[in-house]
Amino acid sequence: MVLHAATAALDWVMDKSLVLGYTKIGPTVRRAWWPHDPVPGALVGRHVLVTGASGGLGLATARGLARLGAVVHITGRDASRLDDARSRLLEEQPLAEVTSHVADVSDLAATAEFARRFVVDVPRLHAVVHNAGVMPPTRTVTPEGHELALATHVLGPHVLTLGLRESLGGGGRVVLVTSGGAYAQRLEANDPDYTQGTYSGTAAYARTKRMQLVLAPLWARELAGDDITVASMHPGWADTPGVTESLPGFARVTGPLLRNAEQGADTAVWLTATGDPIGSGGFWHDRRRRSTHYAPVRVETPGEVERFWAFVCETTGVPTPRG
Ligand SMILES: NC(=O)c1ccc[n+]([C@@H]2O[C@H](COP(=O)([O-])OP(=O)(O)OC[C@H]3O[C@@H](n4cnc5c(N)ncnc54)[C@H](OP(=O)(O)O)[C@@H]3O)[C@@H](O)[C@H]2O)c1
């Protein structure tokens, strides 16, 4: 959608100011010019998988997709939290079709197995929304030997996306929920597992969110031949358990201005359901494509991008060298 120059300038200023764009002011103002909502019933009969949907933005995304008629599959690590989430969705929308799956995306072998079973049960998948996220307070290594934020945000989603390739092929979508925090970090292609220097959870989080931004166009390239569309987005600053528990100081200061979860999830729902052309590999916020760098500095080189891609493919074993 082409915006009038003055509107585009205001939108840009809001984005660069962070506070005007990322808080609830963003969607409240931008609603006046952003693209129209997906048509009611846009997803009737279509299956969509949302990871990390037992609470926060994932649950809000599942709710928005169910409202559009999707058959929603939600994942998380804890069965009782997932049961609660499913019950809440069904209380609000008794006719919704919601299935929950206990699936830890940071466990690469289990994620590959989950995908293998899922494509048998759901041979035609409209979209996967990679929403699961963590901010580990201390450096945590998964039983498979990967730093937890890397495994949760990058390696697991890669295994899942490629594992679902067959059922997404022919028009499916992949939506990757990243963060504006990525702007604070450059691509760490030399030490993706964060083995050097003093570990910081917020830095690990932002580094892996930067990796997601780099991964989206790489997935778009890899999956173009299968007619699978990829988009990354960031939700702004939304009031979720993740924010109040991992960043209590930030949540206190920004509290009254934080978006609600539905506002944070809006662009993920829109990207999944819109009939508008969205291209593939772009980075979105509030239904508009955004720059992947706050300013044109510290941009990753093509060599770093390819080194990162080789690391992800080799570490996960997908696609196979012949793939
Ligand atoms: N809220 C914001 O302002 C904000 C801003 C920028 C980006 N984001 C991004 O938005 C996404 C959701 O954030 P949120 O604020 O809603 O976080 P949240 O409240 O902490 O929710 C995270 C969800 O992910 C699940 N999860 C965590 N690790 C998982 C794993 N290994 N496998 C499967 N599920 C897992 C959690 O469920 P269990 O613990 O039950 O597994 C939970 O349902 C994240 O990717 C985050 O980086 C959020």
Side-chain angles (χ1 to χ4, degrees):
M1 183 189 181
V2 180
L3 294 186
H4 186 276
T7 308
L10 173 59
D11 187 286
W12 184 86
V13 169
M14 288 174 71
D15 196 46
K16 294 300 172 192
S17 78
L18 305 189
V19 170
L20 292 176
Y22 290 16
T23 61
K24 66 184 176 190
I25 299 168
T28 306
V29 174
R30 288 171 169 150
R31 181 168 289 283
W33 62 71
W34 73 21
H36 59 80
D37 291 342
V39 293
L43 296 175
V44 169
R46 296 186 185 205
H47 290 255
V48 179
L49 174 64
V50 185
T51 69
S54 54
L57 299 183
L59 179 58
T61 302
R63 181 180 295 120
L65 296 170
R67 275 197 198 119
L68 291 166
V71 179
V72 183
H73 299 262
I74 58 175
T75 78
R77 294 168 296 182
D78 183 275
S80 70
R81 279 202 291 272
L82 277 173
D83 282 348
D84 286 350
R86 183 171 178 274
S87 303
R88 283 176 65 185
L89 291 171
L90 292 177
E91 258 167 44
E92 295 155 11
Q93 301 175 68
L95 297 181
E97 285 186 72
V98 184
T99 310
S100 59
H101 309 260
V102 176
D104 180 344
V105 75
S106 73
D107 180 335
L108 307 192
T111 299
E113 181 53 29
F114 170 73
R116 260 192 295 278
R117 281 187 280 110
F118 193 86
V119 297
V120 173
D121 294 342
V122 183
R124 196 82 197 84
L125 179 64
H126 171 69
V128 55
V129 181
H130 293 289
N131 167 82
V134 283
M135 189 179 287
T138 54
R139 188 170 189 278
T140 308
V141 176
T142 68
E144 292 173 317
H146 307 295
E147 189 277 319
L148 183 60
L150 178 75
T152 308
H153 299 151
V154 178
L155 302 178
H158 183 74
V159 171
L160 186 58
T161 297
L162 277 291
L164 297 172
R165 184 177 202 156
E166 198 182 315
S167 57
L168 286 167
R173 294 184 188 182
V174 178
V175 176
L176 191 51
V177 179
T178 178
S179 166
Y183 282 142
Q185 293 285 334
R186 75 185 308 272
L187 179 66
E188 186 49 77
N190 293 328
D191 183 26
D193 253 313
Y194 210 149
T195 58
Q196 292 155 23
T198 308
Y199 184 87
S200 140
T202 46
Y205 174 85
R207 280 184 182 198
T208 50
K209 291 289 163 182
R210 163 60 64 196
M211 291 178 198
Q212 291 184 317
L213 273 187
V214 175
L215 199 51
L218 290 167
W219 281 352
R221 179 180 77 181
E222 173 68 26
L223 300 171
D226 302 83
D227 188 21
I228 298 171
T229 297
V230 180
S232 63
M233 57 75 67
H234 86 84
W237 298 332
D239 187 357
T240 63
V243 167
T244 45
E245 285 160 22
S246 299
L247 299 169
F250 174 78
R252 243 189 333 273
V253 173
T254 50
L257 284 177
L258 286 177
R259 295 171 180 224
N260 61 34
E262 192 174 2
Q263 289 170 323
D266 174 83
T267 298
V269 173
W270 181 79
L271 285 166
T272 305
T274 183
D276 291 0
I278 56 169
S280 192
F283 174 46
W284 297 76
H285 173 60
D286 280 350
R287 304 191 188 187
R288 188 163 163 78
R289 264 191 94 148
R290 307 284 166 185
S291 165
T292 53
H293 293 81
Y294 186 79
V297 291
R298 304 174 78 212
V299 177
E300 52 278 354
T301 64
E304 287 170 326
V305 170
E306 292 309 325
R307 206 156 65 249
F308 168 66
W309 178 243
F311 164 79
V312 172
C313 295
E314 279 160 23
T315 307
T316 57
V318 282
T320 57
R322 283 185 302 114

